[in-house]
Every structure is written in C-alpha cells, then in structure tokens.
Amino acid sequence: MSRMPYVKFYSESFMTGVSGLTNEECGMYIKLLCLQHQSGHLDERTICLTCGIKSVSEIPYVMKKFEQDEDGLYFNSRMEVEIQKAEKYVESRIENGK
C-alpha cells in the first residue's frame, strides 16, 4: 500500500511538544514530520537539505524528537504510530466494503 495522503494531527499534543522550540525549529520539525509521513525514515542528508543545515548537530532540540532505527535512519515514533493507525483504518474500510 502506498503512503496515505493524510495522518491525524493532534494540535494539543503538537503544541505541547513544540513548547521548547523556537519558531524556526518548529518549522523544521513539522517539515520533517511531513517528510517522514510521505517518504518514511529519513537519512541525515535529507534532514540537512530539508532544514538548510550542514549537520543534524545544529538542531539538537529538533533531533531530540527523533529516534534512529537499526539502519541509522531517523524517525519520530509518534508519527510512526499515526501512520500505522491510518493505514489500518483504510484497510478495515476496504475489507468492510468487500
């Protein structure tokens, strides 16, 4: 199945989660979440290009929001859960329609 064009967005959780970020960091964070949603786990080069930086070490507070998988790629665990929920929901709707 290809990536869903949407994922649930919980504004209260998001606002609480970004309370310690600058506006610029918040913009980087939401862009990275969207990119993860559309493309999957992210490599450092992609993060750097997206955020206009040379190293992820330049954005430590943003990167605290991400974990690394066994291949060294970055992902936000909450986004991962929401992607899976959306995919399961659509699958259940497809099954119910059969």
Side-chain angles (χ1 to χ4, degrees):
M1 181 187 296
S2 63
R3 287 281 174 178
M4 298 297 306
Y6 74 93
V7 67
K8 284 188 176 184
F9 180 78
Y10 298 89
S11 59
E12 182 178 16
S13 294
F14 180 78
M15 292 304 293
T16 300
V18 299
S19 63
L21 300 180
T22 66
N23 284 337
E24 184 177 19
E25 289 168 334
C26 184
M28 291 176 189
Y29 178 49
I30 192 70
K31 284 177 72 175
L32 293 174
L33 289 176
C34 292
L35 191 57
Q36 175 186 336
H37 174 251
Q38 291 299 305
S39 304
H41 294 189
L42 308 170
D43 62 30
E44 185 168 350
R45 183 176 193 282
T46 300
I47 292 171
C48 290
L49 288 171
T50 301
C51 296
I53 57 175
K54 293 185 187 287
S55 168
V56 294
S57 64
E58 294 177 45
I59 54 170
Y61 297 109
V62 174
M63 295 312 297
K64 283 183 183 179
K65 307 283 186 187
F66 293 86
E67 301 173 35
Q68 282 185 285
D69 65 18
E70 61 278 352
D71 297 321
L73 300 175
Y74 293 88
F75 69 100
N76 177 275
S77 59
R78 174 71 184 269
M79 177 57 75
E80 199 81 354
V81 167
E82 295 305 327
I83 290 168
Q84 291 169 3
K85 281 186 195 176
E87 289 172 348
K88 285 180 182 176
Y89 176 77
V90 169
E91 288 170 8
S92 74
R93 300 299 91 194
I94 291 169
E95 285 300 313
N96 285 347
K98 288 183 179 179

